Short mmCIF file of all heavy atoms in Angstrom, two decimals:
data_model
loop_
_atom_site.label_atom_id
_atom_site.label_comp_id
_atom_site.label_asym_id
_atom_site.label_seq_id
_atom_site.Cartn_x
_atom_site.Cartn_y
_atom_site.Cartn_z
N MET A 258 -3.69 -7.67 -11.52
CA MET A 258 -3.03 -6.97 -12.61
C MET A 258 -1.55 -7.36 -12.65
O MET A 258 -0.89 -7.43 -11.61
CB MET A 258 -3.17 -5.47 -12.37
CG MET A 258 -2.44 -4.63 -13.37
SD MET A 258 -2.56 -2.88 -12.99
CE MET A 258 -1.30 -2.71 -11.75
N LEU A 259 -1.08 -7.63 -13.85
CA LEU A 259 0.33 -7.96 -13.99
C LEU A 259 1.20 -6.72 -13.80
O LEU A 259 0.95 -5.70 -14.40
CB LEU A 259 0.61 -8.55 -15.38
CG LEU A 259 0.56 -10.05 -15.56
CD1 LEU A 259 1.05 -10.41 -16.94
CD2 LEU A 259 1.35 -10.79 -14.51
N VAL A 260 2.19 -6.83 -12.98
CA VAL A 260 3.15 -5.75 -12.80
C VAL A 260 4.41 -6.07 -13.61
O VAL A 260 4.91 -5.26 -14.36
CB VAL A 260 3.50 -5.56 -11.31
CG1 VAL A 260 4.65 -4.58 -11.14
CG2 VAL A 260 2.27 -5.09 -10.54
N CYS A 261 4.89 -7.28 -13.45
CA CYS A 261 6.10 -7.70 -14.16
C CYS A 261 5.71 -8.64 -15.29
O CYS A 261 5.38 -9.80 -15.05
CB CYS A 261 7.07 -8.37 -13.20
SG CYS A 261 8.58 -8.91 -14.02
N ILE A 262 5.75 -8.12 -16.47
CA ILE A 262 5.34 -8.91 -17.63
C ILE A 262 6.38 -9.99 -17.94
O ILE A 262 6.03 -11.12 -18.26
CB ILE A 262 5.10 -7.98 -18.83
CG1 ILE A 262 3.91 -7.10 -18.47
CG2 ILE A 262 4.85 -8.78 -20.11
CD1 ILE A 262 3.57 -6.04 -19.41
N CYS A 263 7.62 -9.65 -17.81
CA CYS A 263 8.69 -10.61 -18.13
C CYS A 263 8.55 -11.89 -17.30
O CYS A 263 8.74 -12.99 -17.81
CB CYS A 263 10.05 -10.00 -17.86
SG CYS A 263 10.46 -8.63 -18.93
N LYS A 264 8.26 -11.74 -16.03
CA LYS A 264 8.19 -12.89 -15.14
C LYS A 264 6.77 -13.30 -14.79
O LYS A 264 6.56 -14.22 -14.00
CB LYS A 264 8.98 -12.60 -13.85
CG LYS A 264 10.46 -12.33 -14.09
CD LYS A 264 11.14 -13.58 -14.64
CE LYS A 264 12.61 -13.32 -14.90
NZ LYS A 264 13.31 -14.50 -15.40
N GLY A 265 5.79 -12.58 -15.32
CA GLY A 265 4.40 -12.92 -15.07
C GLY A 265 4.00 -12.78 -13.62
O GLY A 265 3.28 -13.62 -13.07
N VAL A 266 4.44 -11.70 -12.98
CA VAL A 266 4.16 -11.50 -11.55
C VAL A 266 3.11 -10.41 -11.38
O VAL A 266 3.24 -9.31 -11.93
CB VAL A 266 5.44 -11.13 -10.78
CG1 VAL A 266 5.14 -10.98 -9.30
CG2 VAL A 266 6.52 -12.17 -11.00
N SER A 267 2.08 -10.73 -10.61
CA SER A 267 0.97 -9.81 -10.41
C SER A 267 1.21 -8.89 -9.22
O SER A 267 2.09 -9.14 -8.38
CB SER A 267 -0.31 -10.60 -10.17
OG SER A 267 -0.21 -11.27 -8.92
N ASP A 268 0.40 -7.85 -9.12
CA ASP A 268 0.47 -6.95 -7.97
C ASP A 268 0.14 -7.71 -6.68
O ASP A 268 0.74 -7.46 -5.64
CB ASP A 268 -0.44 -5.74 -8.15
CG ASP A 268 -1.89 -6.10 -8.41
OD1 ASP A 268 -2.18 -7.26 -8.80
OD2 ASP A 268 -2.76 -5.22 -8.24
N ARG A 269 -0.76 -8.67 -6.76
CA ARG A 269 -1.10 -9.47 -5.57
C ARG A 269 0.11 -10.22 -5.05
O ARG A 269 0.34 -10.30 -3.84
CB ARG A 269 -2.21 -10.47 -5.90
CG ARG A 269 -3.53 -9.83 -6.12
CD ARG A 269 -4.54 -10.87 -6.47
NE ARG A 269 -5.67 -10.74 -5.55
CZ ARG A 269 -6.59 -11.65 -5.40
NH1 ARG A 269 -6.54 -12.77 -6.08
NH2 ARG A 269 -7.57 -11.45 -4.56
N ARG A 270 0.84 -10.80 -5.98
CA ARG A 270 2.03 -11.57 -5.59
C ARG A 270 3.08 -10.67 -4.94
O ARG A 270 3.71 -11.05 -3.94
CB ARG A 270 2.60 -12.26 -6.83
CG ARG A 270 3.81 -13.10 -6.57
CD ARG A 270 3.42 -14.36 -5.79
NE ARG A 270 4.57 -15.20 -5.57
CZ ARG A 270 5.38 -15.11 -4.52
NH1 ARG A 270 5.15 -14.22 -3.59
NH2 ARG A 270 6.40 -15.91 -4.40
N ILE A 271 3.25 -9.49 -5.49
CA ILE A 271 4.23 -8.55 -4.92
C ILE A 271 3.76 -8.07 -3.55
O ILE A 271 4.55 -8.02 -2.60
CB ILE A 271 4.46 -7.37 -5.89
CG1 ILE A 271 5.19 -7.90 -7.13
CG2 ILE A 271 5.27 -6.26 -5.21
CD1 ILE A 271 5.28 -6.93 -8.27
N ASN A 272 2.48 -7.78 -3.43
CA ASN A 272 1.96 -7.38 -2.12
C ASN A 272 2.11 -8.50 -1.10
O ASN A 272 2.35 -8.25 0.08
CB ASN A 272 0.50 -6.94 -2.25
CG ASN A 272 0.39 -5.53 -2.78
OD1 ASN A 272 1.26 -4.69 -2.53
ND2 ASN A 272 -0.65 -5.26 -3.52
N GLU A 273 1.97 -9.72 -1.55
CA GLU A 273 2.17 -10.86 -0.66
C GLU A 273 3.61 -10.89 -0.14
O GLU A 273 3.86 -11.12 1.05
CB GLU A 273 1.86 -12.14 -1.42
CG GLU A 273 1.82 -13.38 -0.57
CD GLU A 273 1.54 -14.61 -1.43
OE1 GLU A 273 0.61 -14.57 -2.26
OE2 GLU A 273 2.28 -15.59 -1.29
N GLU A 274 4.54 -10.64 -1.04
CA GLU A 274 5.95 -10.58 -0.62
C GLU A 274 6.17 -9.48 0.43
O GLU A 274 6.87 -9.67 1.41
CB GLU A 274 6.87 -10.33 -1.82
CG GLU A 274 7.01 -11.49 -2.76
CD GLU A 274 7.66 -12.71 -2.11
OE1 GLU A 274 8.56 -12.54 -1.28
OE2 GLU A 274 7.25 -13.84 -2.44
N ILE A 275 5.54 -8.35 0.20
CA ILE A 275 5.68 -7.23 1.13
C ILE A 275 5.07 -7.60 2.49
O ILE A 275 5.66 -7.34 3.53
CB ILE A 275 5.04 -5.95 0.54
CG1 ILE A 275 5.80 -5.52 -0.71
CG2 ILE A 275 5.01 -4.83 1.59
CD1 ILE A 275 5.13 -4.43 -1.52
N ARG A 276 3.91 -8.24 2.44
CA ARG A 276 3.28 -8.66 3.71
C ARG A 276 4.15 -9.67 4.45
O ARG A 276 4.15 -9.72 5.67
CB ARG A 276 1.90 -9.28 3.43
CG ARG A 276 0.80 -8.24 3.42
CD ARG A 276 -0.57 -8.89 3.54
NE ARG A 276 -0.82 -9.87 2.52
CZ ARG A 276 -1.28 -9.59 1.31
NH1 ARG A 276 -1.56 -8.35 1.00
NH2 ARG A 276 -1.48 -10.53 0.42
N ARG A 277 4.87 -10.47 3.70
CA ARG A 277 5.74 -11.46 4.34
C ARG A 277 7.02 -10.84 4.89
O ARG A 277 7.85 -11.53 5.47
CB ARG A 277 6.12 -12.54 3.34
CG ARG A 277 5.01 -13.47 3.01
CD ARG A 277 5.49 -14.50 2.02
NE ARG A 277 4.41 -15.40 1.65
CZ ARG A 277 4.53 -16.31 0.69
NH1 ARG A 277 5.66 -16.42 0.02
NH2 ARG A 277 3.54 -17.10 0.41
N GLY A 278 7.22 -9.55 4.62
CA GLY A 278 8.36 -8.88 5.21
C GLY A 278 9.36 -8.29 4.25
O GLY A 278 10.33 -7.66 4.68
N ALA A 279 9.15 -8.47 2.95
CA ALA A 279 10.08 -7.87 1.99
C ALA A 279 9.98 -6.36 2.09
O ALA A 279 8.89 -5.79 2.10
CB ALA A 279 9.73 -8.31 0.57
N CYS A 280 11.12 -5.71 2.20
CA CYS A 280 11.10 -4.25 2.33
C CYS A 280 12.09 -3.58 1.38
O CYS A 280 12.38 -2.40 1.53
CB CYS A 280 11.32 -3.82 3.77
SG CYS A 280 12.80 -4.51 4.49
N SER A 281 12.58 -4.32 0.42
CA SER A 281 13.47 -3.73 -0.57
C SER A 281 13.23 -4.40 -1.92
O SER A 281 12.66 -5.50 -1.99
CB SER A 281 14.94 -3.93 -0.17
OG SER A 281 15.27 -5.30 -0.27
N LEU A 282 13.66 -3.72 -2.95
CA LEU A 282 13.52 -4.29 -4.29
C LEU A 282 14.23 -5.64 -4.36
O LEU A 282 13.70 -6.60 -4.92
CB LEU A 282 14.12 -3.32 -5.32
CG LEU A 282 14.16 -3.84 -6.75
CD1 LEU A 282 12.75 -4.09 -7.29
CD2 LEU A 282 14.91 -2.87 -7.65
N ARG A 283 15.39 -5.72 -3.79
CA ARG A 283 16.15 -6.97 -3.81
C ARG A 283 15.38 -8.13 -3.19
O ARG A 283 15.38 -9.25 -3.71
CB ARG A 283 17.47 -6.74 -3.07
CG ARG A 283 18.41 -7.92 -3.09
CD ARG A 283 18.67 -8.34 -4.54
NE ARG A 283 19.69 -9.34 -4.62
CZ ARG A 283 20.95 -9.09 -4.93
NH1 ARG A 283 21.34 -7.86 -5.18
NH2 ARG A 283 21.81 -10.06 -4.99
N GLN A 284 14.71 -7.85 -2.09
CA GLN A 284 13.94 -8.91 -1.43
C GLN A 284 12.74 -9.33 -2.28
O GLN A 284 12.38 -10.51 -2.31
CB GLN A 284 13.50 -8.45 -0.04
CG GLN A 284 14.69 -8.39 0.91
CD GLN A 284 14.33 -7.79 2.25
OE1 GLN A 284 13.40 -7.00 2.37
NE2 GLN A 284 15.08 -8.17 3.26
N ILE A 285 12.14 -8.37 -2.96
CA ILE A 285 11.04 -8.72 -3.88
C ILE A 285 11.58 -9.59 -5.01
O ILE A 285 11.00 -10.60 -5.38
CB ILE A 285 10.40 -7.44 -4.47
CG1 ILE A 285 9.80 -6.55 -3.39
CG2 ILE A 285 9.36 -7.80 -5.55
CD1 ILE A 285 8.54 -7.05 -2.77
N GLN A 286 12.71 -9.19 -5.55
CA GLN A 286 13.31 -9.95 -6.65
C GLN A 286 13.65 -11.37 -6.20
O GLN A 286 13.41 -12.33 -6.92
CB GLN A 286 14.57 -9.24 -7.16
CG GLN A 286 14.25 -7.95 -7.87
CD GLN A 286 15.49 -7.15 -8.21
OE1 GLN A 286 16.46 -7.11 -7.45
NE2 GLN A 286 15.46 -6.48 -9.35
N ASP A 287 14.21 -11.49 -5.03
CA ASP A 287 14.56 -12.81 -4.51
C ASP A 287 13.31 -13.66 -4.26
O ASP A 287 13.31 -14.86 -4.47
CB ASP A 287 15.36 -12.68 -3.21
CG ASP A 287 16.77 -12.16 -3.46
OD1 ASP A 287 17.20 -12.14 -4.63
OD2 ASP A 287 17.42 -11.77 -2.48
N GLY A 288 12.26 -13.00 -3.82
CA GLY A 288 11.05 -13.72 -3.44
C GLY A 288 10.21 -14.19 -4.60
O GLY A 288 9.63 -15.28 -4.55
N CYS A 289 10.11 -13.38 -5.66
CA CYS A 289 9.19 -13.76 -6.74
C CYS A 289 9.74 -13.50 -8.13
O CYS A 289 9.01 -13.68 -9.11
CB CYS A 289 7.84 -13.07 -6.56
SG CYS A 289 7.91 -11.28 -6.72
N GLN A 290 10.96 -13.07 -8.23
CA GLN A 290 11.63 -12.84 -9.52
C GLN A 290 11.16 -11.59 -10.26
O GLN A 290 11.69 -11.28 -11.33
CB GLN A 290 11.48 -14.04 -10.46
CG GLN A 290 12.03 -15.33 -9.88
CD GLN A 290 13.52 -15.23 -9.61
OE1 GLN A 290 14.30 -14.95 -10.50
NE2 GLN A 290 13.92 -15.42 -8.36
N ALA A 291 10.17 -10.88 -9.73
CA ALA A 291 9.73 -9.65 -10.41
C ALA A 291 10.88 -8.66 -10.47
O ALA A 291 11.64 -8.50 -9.52
CB ALA A 291 8.56 -9.03 -9.65
N GLY A 292 11.01 -8.00 -11.61
CA GLY A 292 12.04 -6.98 -11.76
C GLY A 292 13.44 -7.50 -12.00
O GLY A 292 14.41 -6.77 -11.86
N THR A 293 13.54 -8.75 -12.40
CA THR A 293 14.88 -9.32 -12.59
C THR A 293 15.28 -9.43 -14.06
O THR A 293 16.36 -9.88 -14.36
CB THR A 293 14.98 -10.72 -11.96
OG1 THR A 293 13.98 -11.57 -12.54
CG2 THR A 293 14.79 -10.67 -10.46
N ASP A 294 14.39 -9.00 -14.95
CA ASP A 294 14.72 -9.13 -16.38
C ASP A 294 14.94 -7.74 -16.99
O ASP A 294 16.01 -7.16 -16.83
CB ASP A 294 13.62 -9.92 -17.08
CG ASP A 294 14.08 -10.53 -18.39
OD1 ASP A 294 14.99 -9.96 -19.02
OD2 ASP A 294 13.53 -11.58 -18.80
N CYS A 295 13.93 -7.20 -17.67
CA CYS A 295 14.14 -5.93 -18.38
C CYS A 295 14.14 -4.72 -17.45
O CYS A 295 14.57 -3.65 -17.84
CB CYS A 295 13.06 -5.75 -19.45
SG CYS A 295 11.46 -5.22 -18.79
N LYS A 296 13.61 -4.88 -16.26
CA LYS A 296 13.58 -3.84 -15.22
C LYS A 296 12.54 -2.73 -15.48
O LYS A 296 12.52 -1.75 -14.76
CB LYS A 296 14.95 -3.18 -15.03
CG LYS A 296 16.10 -4.16 -14.88
CD LYS A 296 16.49 -4.31 -13.45
CE LYS A 296 17.77 -5.03 -13.21
NZ LYS A 296 17.85 -6.41 -13.63
N ALA A 297 11.69 -2.91 -16.47
CA ALA A 297 10.68 -1.90 -16.75
C ALA A 297 9.69 -1.74 -15.60
O ALA A 297 9.10 -0.69 -15.42
CB ALA A 297 9.92 -2.25 -18.03
N CYS A 298 9.54 -2.78 -14.80
CA CYS A 298 8.56 -2.75 -13.71
C CYS A 298 9.16 -2.26 -12.38
O CYS A 298 8.43 -2.11 -11.40
CB CYS A 298 8.00 -4.15 -13.51
SG CYS A 298 9.29 -5.35 -13.14
N VAL A 299 10.44 -2.03 -12.35
CA VAL A 299 11.10 -1.70 -11.09
C VAL A 299 10.51 -0.45 -10.42
O VAL A 299 10.31 -0.41 -9.21
CB VAL A 299 12.63 -1.54 -11.31
CG1 VAL A 299 13.30 -0.81 -10.18
CG2 VAL A 299 13.26 -2.92 -11.50
N ARG A 300 10.21 0.53 -11.24
CA ARG A 300 9.66 1.77 -10.68
C ARG A 300 8.34 1.49 -9.97
O ARG A 300 8.09 1.99 -8.87
CB ARG A 300 9.45 2.78 -11.81
CG ARG A 300 9.05 4.12 -11.31
CD ARG A 300 9.20 5.17 -12.38
NE ARG A 300 8.57 6.40 -11.94
CZ ARG A 300 7.79 7.13 -12.70
NH1 ARG A 300 7.58 6.82 -13.94
NH2 ARG A 300 7.23 8.22 -12.23
N GLN A 301 7.50 0.68 -10.59
CA GLN A 301 6.21 0.37 -9.98
C GLN A 301 6.39 -0.46 -8.70
O GLN A 301 5.68 -0.26 -7.72
CB GLN A 301 5.31 -0.37 -10.97
CG GLN A 301 3.90 -0.48 -10.43
CD GLN A 301 2.93 -1.06 -11.44
OE1 GLN A 301 3.26 -1.20 -12.62
NE2 GLN A 301 1.74 -1.39 -10.97
N ILE A 302 7.34 -1.37 -8.72
CA ILE A 302 7.59 -2.18 -7.53
C ILE A 302 8.06 -1.27 -6.38
O ILE A 302 7.60 -1.40 -5.25
CB ILE A 302 8.64 -3.27 -7.82
CG1 ILE A 302 8.09 -4.29 -8.82
CG2 ILE A 302 9.05 -3.98 -6.52
CD1 ILE A 302 9.13 -5.26 -9.35
N ARG A 303 8.94 -0.35 -6.68
CA ARG A 303 9.41 0.58 -5.64
C ARG A 303 8.25 1.40 -5.09
O ARG A 303 8.17 1.66 -3.89
CB ARG A 303 10.48 1.51 -6.22
CG ARG A 303 11.80 0.81 -6.40
CD ARG A 303 12.95 1.80 -6.30
NE ARG A 303 14.21 1.08 -6.21
CZ ARG A 303 15.08 0.97 -7.20
NH1 ARG A 303 14.84 1.55 -8.34
NH2 ARG A 303 16.20 0.30 -7.03
N GLN A 304 7.36 1.80 -6.00
CA GLN A 304 6.20 2.58 -5.58
C GLN A 304 5.32 1.74 -4.64
O GLN A 304 4.82 2.23 -3.63
CB GLN A 304 5.40 2.96 -6.82
CG GLN A 304 4.79 4.33 -6.76
CD GLN A 304 4.38 4.78 -8.15
OE1 GLN A 304 3.99 3.97 -9.00
NE2 GLN A 304 4.45 6.06 -8.39
N MET A 305 5.14 0.48 -4.98
CA MET A 305 4.35 -0.41 -4.13
C MET A 305 5.00 -0.58 -2.76
O MET A 305 4.32 -0.59 -1.74
CB MET A 305 4.19 -1.77 -4.80
CG MET A 305 3.31 -1.72 -6.03
SD MET A 305 3.29 -3.28 -6.93
CE MET A 305 2.20 -4.24 -5.86
N LEU A 306 6.30 -0.69 -2.74
CA LEU A 306 7.01 -0.82 -1.47
C LEU A 306 6.78 0.42 -0.61
O LEU A 306 6.51 0.32 0.58
CB LEU A 306 8.52 -0.99 -1.73
CG LEU A 306 8.98 -2.39 -2.06
CD1 LEU A 306 10.36 -2.35 -2.71
CD2 LEU A 306 8.99 -3.27 -0.83
N THR A 307 6.87 1.59 -1.22
CA THR A 307 6.67 2.84 -0.49
C THR A 307 5.25 2.94 0.03
O THR A 307 5.02 3.26 1.19
CB THR A 307 6.96 4.03 -1.41
OG1 THR A 307 8.28 3.89 -1.93
CG2 THR A 307 6.85 5.34 -0.67
N THR A 308 4.30 2.63 -0.83
CA THR A 308 2.89 2.71 -0.44
C THR A 308 2.58 1.75 0.70
O THR A 308 1.94 2.11 1.68
CB THR A 308 1.99 2.38 -1.65
OG1 THR A 308 2.33 3.26 -2.71
CG2 THR A 308 0.53 2.53 -1.30
N GLN A 309 3.03 0.52 0.58
CA GLN A 309 2.75 -0.48 1.61
C GLN A 309 3.44 -0.15 2.93
O GLN A 309 2.91 -0.43 3.99
CB GLN A 309 3.21 -1.86 1.14
CG GLN A 309 2.41 -2.41 0.00
CD GLN A 309 1.08 -2.94 0.45
OE1 GLN A 309 0.95 -3.49 1.54
NE2 GLN A 309 0.07 -2.78 -0.37
N ALA A 310 4.62 0.43 2.83
CA ALA A 310 5.36 0.77 4.04
C ALA A 310 4.63 1.83 4.84
O ALA A 310 4.66 1.85 6.06
CB ALA A 310 6.76 1.25 3.68
N ARG A 311 3.94 2.71 4.13
CA ARG A 311 3.23 3.80 4.80
C ARG A 311 1.87 3.36 5.33
O ARG A 311 1.39 3.89 6.31
CB ARG A 311 3.01 4.96 3.82
CG ARG A 311 4.25 5.72 3.58
CD ARG A 311 3.92 6.99 2.84
NE ARG A 311 5.12 7.55 2.26
CZ ARG A 311 5.19 8.14 1.08
NH1 ARG A 311 4.13 8.27 0.36
NH2 ARG A 311 6.32 8.61 0.64
N ALA A 312 1.26 2.41 4.61
CA ALA A 312 -0.10 2.03 4.95
C ALA A 312 -0.12 0.97 6.05
O ALA A 312 0.66 0.02 6.01
CB ALA A 312 -0.80 1.49 3.72
N PRO A 313 -1.02 1.13 6.98
CA PRO A 313 -1.22 0.04 7.93
C PRO A 313 -1.86 -1.13 7.20
O PRO A 313 -2.28 -0.99 6.05
CB PRO A 313 -2.19 0.63 8.95
CG PRO A 313 -2.69 1.90 8.39
CD PRO A 313 -1.84 2.26 7.21
N ARG A 314 -1.94 -2.28 7.83
CA ARG A 314 -2.51 -3.46 7.18
C ARG A 314 -3.82 -3.11 6.51
O ARG A 314 -4.72 -2.56 7.12
CB ARG A 314 -2.75 -4.58 8.19
CG ARG A 314 -1.49 -5.03 8.86
CD ARG A 314 -0.62 -5.77 7.88
NE ARG A 314 0.76 -5.68 8.33
CZ ARG A 314 1.78 -6.23 7.71
NH1 ARG A 314 1.59 -6.89 6.61
NH2 ARG A 314 3.00 -6.12 8.17
N ALA A 315 -3.93 -3.45 5.25
CA ALA A 315 -5.10 -3.07 4.48
C ALA A 315 -6.23 -4.06 4.62
O ALA A 315 -6.12 -5.07 5.29
CB ALA A 315 -4.71 -2.89 3.02
N SER A 316 -7.28 -3.76 3.90
CA SER A 316 -8.52 -4.50 4.02
C SER A 316 -8.46 -5.95 3.53
O SER A 316 -9.33 -6.74 3.85
CB SER A 316 -9.59 -3.76 3.24
OG SER A 316 -9.12 -3.58 1.93
N SER A 317 -7.48 -6.33 2.74
CA SER A 317 -7.48 -7.65 2.10
C SER A 317 -7.46 -8.81 3.08
O SER A 317 -7.77 -9.93 2.73
CB SER A 317 -6.32 -7.76 1.13
OG SER A 317 -5.12 -7.67 1.84
N GLU A 318 -7.11 -8.56 4.31
CA GLU A 318 -7.05 -9.65 5.27
C GLU A 318 -8.34 -9.80 6.08
O GLU A 318 -8.44 -10.69 6.91
CB GLU A 318 -5.86 -9.45 6.21
CG GLU A 318 -4.56 -9.63 5.45
CD GLU A 318 -3.36 -9.49 6.35
OE1 GLU A 318 -3.52 -9.61 7.58
OE2 GLU A 318 -2.27 -9.28 5.83
N ALA A 319 -9.29 -8.96 5.84
CA ALA A 319 -10.54 -9.02 6.58
C ALA A 319 -11.48 -10.05 5.94
O ALA A 319 -12.13 -9.79 4.96
CB ALA A 319 -11.21 -7.65 6.59
N SER A 320 -11.54 -11.23 6.48
CA SER A 320 -12.46 -12.22 5.92
C SER A 320 -13.14 -12.99 7.02
O SER A 320 -12.76 -13.07 8.12
CB SER A 320 -11.73 -13.17 5.00
OG SER A 320 -10.69 -13.82 5.68
S1 FES B 515 8.58 -6.25 -16.75
FE1 FES B 515 9.52 -6.85 -14.90
S2 FES B 515 11.52 -7.42 -15.47
FE2 FES B 515 10.58 -6.90 -17.35
#
């Protein structure tokens, strides 16, 4: 699902940034450009950061 329409960044891409160690909006912006234009997606990105920070490694890596 697209989170950042302006930059065409998906939730998967943002989660990837978080898994790589991004822990702030700025780091997400630097890593994939999400949230650097109109900023409409910033709230959702922050929410993802909070959710991922609380959750232990999720199921997506089980293969
Ligand atoms: S929707 Fe992300 S910067 Fe516009």
Side-chain angles (χ1 to χ4, degrees):
M258 175 183 82
L259 267 187
V260 172
C261 180
I262 295 174
C263 294
K264 298 295 179 179
V266 182
S267 68
D268 56 342
R269 290 178 126 194
R270 181 71 178 89
I271 291 169
N272 280 329
E273 189 182 313
E274 288 296 324
I275 295 170
R276 271 196 304 275
R277 287 181 182 173
C280 54
S281 69
L282 175 63
R283 184 55 172 260
Q284 289 174 333
I285 299 287
Q286 291 172 324
D287 288 347
C289 65
Q290 302 298 303
T293 58
D294 201 332
C295 78
K296 312 259 191 297
C298 58
V299 162
R300 187 165 170 224
Q301 190 174 349
I302 294 170
R303 285 208 168 105
Q304 217 163 32
M305 291 173 76
L306 277 162
T307 304
T308 304
Q309 292 283 325
R311 285 191 196 142
R314 299 290 156 180
S316 54
S317 63
E318 291 182 19
S320 58

